Amino acid sequence: MSTNKVKTNQKLSKLRRSDPFFERESQKYDFPLPSREFVIQILADHGVPLRFADLADAMDIHPSELQFFERRMFAMERDGQVMRNRNGAYLLPAKADLIRGRVQGHPDGYGFVVTDDEGPDIFLGPNEMREVLHGDRVIVRVSGLDRRGRPEGKIVEVLERANTRLVGRVLVENGVTLVVPENRRISQEVLLEPGSKAKLKPVAGQVVVVELVEQPTRYAQPIGRIVEVLGNYADPGMEIEIALRKHELPFEFSAAAKEQTRRLPEKVRKMDWKGRVDLTALPLVTIDGETARDFDDAVFCEREGRGFRLVVAIADVSHYVTVGSALDGEGYERGNSVYFPRRVIPMLPEKLSNGLCSLNPQVERLCMVCDMAISPTGAIKQFRFYPAVMFSKARLTYNQVAAALYDKDAAALEVIGELLPHLQNLDKLFRVLLKARAKRGAIDFETQETRMIFDDNGKIANIVAESRNDAHRLIEECMLAANVCASEFLQTHEHPVLYRVHEGPTPEKLAKLRDFLGEFGLQLGGGEEPKAADYARLLEKIQDRPDLQLLQTVMLRSLRQAVYSPDNAGHFGLAYEAYTHFTSPIRRYPDLLVHRAIKAVLNGERYVPAQDNGDWEAIGLHCSMTERRADEADRDVENWLKCYYMQDRIGEEFDGSVSAVVPFGLFVALDDVFVEGLVHISDLGSDYFHYDDAHHSLLGERTGERYRLSDRIRVQLVRVNMEASKIDFRLVAGPARATERVGKTARDKLVERPLAPESVAVGKPTRRKGVKEAEFKGQVAPELPPVEQPEALAVKVGKQKEAKAGRKAKAAKADKPAASKTSKTTKPAKAEKAATSRKSAAGGVKKKAKVRV
């Protein structure tokens, strides 16, 4: 601590020194202000809003500090930690029943606030959504409950605007030019700035990028100006250009990053060998897919006694991408490479990703090595990390290796040549690691992967299934072993790092899964905290069942999403107590962080990232976000391409299976075509269908018809919406299995009692106020009122005819009172009751029709 800083701290009052984060602030600033946490504590202790002057006095702020303290309060207000009332006094949002969160828009115009404190989402009606856009940060006050019982909010203040630029299509209506955002969560159209003198003139139908010059208000829609014209909607590659901007993916490197890349050498220099192990004589090889261009990893295996020596060499990206450099900043911002069909947005410039850092064959490359000794049972007995220089002997593909090892293909054997014994050692080790995996209890879900084949115009010509062979799994097991060693190494040396965390199911999801499995006579072991081995045992048990796909999908969806975090909670799916990503630093930023941490330990140092002030938790959140962002962008592009592929096949019929069940219908994945679309609930038949989340099904109230996950059905393609990237099907034939029914449906009851000649409508049961929707969905249609029997109807019809004849006679002034009285038929009590019942039933149907979904 400097002398000035010591003198300053000595002058501070006892109150200021009682700040629980005083030391942290002192390390950051020469003149430490009260921490944000301390400001919140003081406001809470006073229990009333405080003006700035009063707050400054309460915290012993010196006159010379007022300007800096005012900036801190402004920053806290910006972040929603405090806010000012109409009198200008600072208050705590929580004390005023105010809630902070981020807006999540819906295409239908309403939205939700996802709260910072992980409380329930707060519903925002269309009127509230007029002044915000998807992603904005707001403070809201709960104003009541909406019609579905959810908390409904009113926006008090907009803290942060998330959208400065939007990509969308130009729309001209009645002489007014608008831009319709491609992001469907933004339901507001952008009005182009009036009288704009911009050189970019809008043309209806073009895809453009607009810069918002005015954010929306409660009384006005957003206003923007065109800053980039991308082209026409159907231009080749337009779907990727839209996805890049829609998801705000960085796709151009900064001038500083380009300059740093330009100064890098073209090949490994002699000076780079310093402190490295020479592995150039070791027959390391890369094994990847046919289309791969960046090679992160190379492998080698040999026998050591009864066990094995496995060497996994990973590209040493950290040697070239230094901490805090322009390239480091670019890598962090991107987080990972994004792999679109026919195009890659790399995390690092091509000179690094495909050149200097790629383990290309027959050239020297710098690498970080995990050198392992593995027992005959697959246990890693010893390992060590060290920097090295390698020389890849061959660039092999999965298919080549599989053909040589398992099919004894002559052409593949000729390509592999003298490397075959080393590959055979790899295969023997792979079999050992597979047994260890099974013993460990790792979950092995089998999923269907596809590959798109494109024509000369960049559009899909065909979609084919991509099968994984044992060569894929061989490399996968080698990478898993290296990743586990990296996590154990850093844990042992107590160095912070980002772990790849995959937690087990939540109690709610676990309960739903157990209920679902119970209907099939199955049980998941493990009690309240099942392990991966419990899932694995159940998967093995159901392998030969015809409903395997259904059960496996439900099991998979019960698990949580994997994330990056400095807090090690283990990897549930792989059954590891600790797991990191070490093997792909070219395309994943967390792997680069792990390399730097390992190097720091080897050098007796401690690595502190340059980003987010070295806050590992914030870095983990960012890396998890960029991973999801890439997945969403890739999904958008694939969906658009599939729509383009299907638009000429409207009217065709396809077989498929239900891939997802939602409250508004069924998503169906087509066989052989590998395209997914929606069968809306209104196309399932003339019935009221209830969504059962726990059982992943839609159940017809009247017919008892059930549609559930993995059902085999036949559909017809009826609509392709290119703008929304949606495909709609019509149900042609339902599942071939017998209809499942719980209890007696309305139809069953009517069969037991013959119907009258007139039909009786069955309405949807009205949910009682206060009954939870989940409970309501499971109700069976109520029993119908008594129905008139045929004999009662005959008596009533006779009475009606005689009454009509009597009225005619009276109108003709016929003087036959006795005859009229004599002709009157006595009506049985049963018929009277039946007539009353029919009237009651008709009234009930009219009322219930209002609640049809």
Side-chain angles (χ1 to χ4, degrees), residues 535-592:
Y535 273 75
R537 278 191 289 270
L538 181 56
L539 269 178
E540 185 178 359
K541 183 178 179 180
I542 63 176
Q543 283 302 308
D544 297 328
R545 290 179 61 115
D547 51 9
L548 168 64
Q549 190 59 43
L550 165 66
L551 298 170
Q552 176 181 265
T553 302
V554 175
M555 290 172 67
L556 179 61
R557 291 181 181 177
S558 72
L559 301 178
R560 282 182 262 193
Q561 188 177 34
V563 296
Y564 293 106
S565 173
D567 301 321
N568 176 35
H571 197 293
F572 184 86
L574 295 174
Y576 287 131
E577 292 183 0
Y579 187 70
T580 59
H581 275 166
F582 163 76
T583 54
S584 297
I586 292 177
R587 59 186 179 89
R588 288 191 308 228
Y589 194 79
D591 300 52
L592 177 57

Side-chain angles (χ1 to χ4, degrees), residues 519-541:
E519 294 203 352
F520 293 82
L522 299 171
Q523 287 186 340
L524 176 68
E528 295 182 358
E529 294 185 1
K531 305 296 183 185
D534 298 308
Y535 273 75
R537 278 191 289 270
L538 181 56
L539 269 178
E540 185 178 359
K541 183 178 179 180

Side-chain angles (χ1 to χ4, degrees), residues 607-670:
Y607 166 57
V608 178
Q611 287 76 27
D612 288 303
N613 295 319
D615 185 343
W616 285 95
E617 185 172 357
I619 294 171
L621 289 172
H622 173 80
C623 292
S624 299
M625 179 277 293
T626 60
E627 181 182 48
R628 291 192 300 271
R629 180 178 66 184
D631 289 341
E632 290 169 1
D634 180 48
R635 194 179 305 118
D636 275 3
V637 169
E638 287 197 4
N639 287 343
W640 192 91
L641 288 169
K642 288 177 179 179
C643 286
Y644 192 92
Y645 174 59
M646 295 295 289
Q647 65 180 344
D648 296 328
R649 306 185 69 173
I650 292 176
E652 292 186 32
E653 293 186 2
F654 305 90
D655 291 317
S657 57
V658 176
S659 57
V661 182
V662 290
F664 51 86
L666 310 170
F667 281 97
V668 180
L670 305 183

Side-chain angles (χ1 to χ4, degrees), residues 799-850:
K799 178 199 170 189
Q800 288 173 341
K801 288 182 178 180
E802 292 176 17
K804 186 175 181 182
R807 286 195 299 273
K808 286 183 178 179
K810 187 175 182 181
K813 296 184 179 180
D815 188 20
K816 298 180 182 178
S820 176
K821 189 174 183 179
T822 305
S823 64
K824 186 175 182 180
T825 306
T826 303
K827 178 180 173 185
K830 184 177 181 181
E832 290 179 6
K833 184 176 180 182
T836 305
S837 299
R838 186 174 67 154
K839 182 177 179 181
S840 173
V845 169
K846 184 176 181 181
K847 181 178 180 181
K848 291 167 186 173
K850 295 180 181 178

Side-chain angles (χ1 to χ4, degrees), residues 418-569:
E418 60 185 12
L419 296 172
L420 182 62
H422 305 298
L423 294 179
Q424 289 172 333
N425 285 335
L426 272 171
D427 183 57
K428 292 173 183 176
L429 173 61
F430 162 59
R431 304 297 163 183
V432 168
L433 292 175
L434 268 188
K435 291 180 180 178
R437 180 192 183 104
K439 184 178 180 181
R440 190 173 72 246
I443 309 173
D444 195 5
F445 289 115
E446 288 294 333
T447 56
Q448 178 68 66
E449 296 183 7
T450 59
R451 178 167 57 90
M452 295 180 178
I453 300 175
F454 293 85
D455 57 24
D456 295 336
N457 297 320
K459 300 300 186 292
I460 301 178
N462 197 12
I463 304 175
V464 298
E466 189 89 304
S467 58
R468 276 167 46 92
N469 55 43
D470 276 355
H472 288 83
R473 303 187 70 188
L474 182 153
I475 292 299
E476 181 181 292
E477 288 298 328
C478 292
M479 298 305 109
L480 290 176
N483 287 336
V484 169
C485 290
S487 62
E488 185 176 336
F489 179 79
L490 292 170
Q491 257 197 325
T492 302
H493 291 87
E494 298 182 347
H495 194 292
V497 73
L498 287 185
Y499 294 93
R500 183 62 169 177
V501 174
H502 182 223
E503 297 185 79
T506 63
E508 296 78 14
K509 286 189 174 183
L510 181 60
K512 288 181 179 180
L513 175 62
R514 291 194 188 282
D515 288 344
F516 181 80
L517 294 173
E519 294 203 352
F520 293 82
L522 299 171
Q523 287 186 340
L524 176 68
E528 295 182 358
E529 294 185 1
K531 305 296 183 185
D534 298 308
Y535 273 75
R537 278 191 289 270
L538 181 56
L539 269 178
E540 185 178 359
K541 183 178 179 180
I542 63 176
Q543 283 302 308
D544 297 328
R545 290 179 61 115
D547 51 9
L548 168 64
Q549 190 59 43
L550 165 66
L551 298 170
Q552 176 181 265
T553 302
V554 175
M555 290 172 67
L556 179 61
R557 291 181 181 177
S558 72
L559 301 178
R560 282 182 262 193
Q561 188 177 34
V563 296
Y564 293 106
S565 173
D567 301 321
N568 176 35

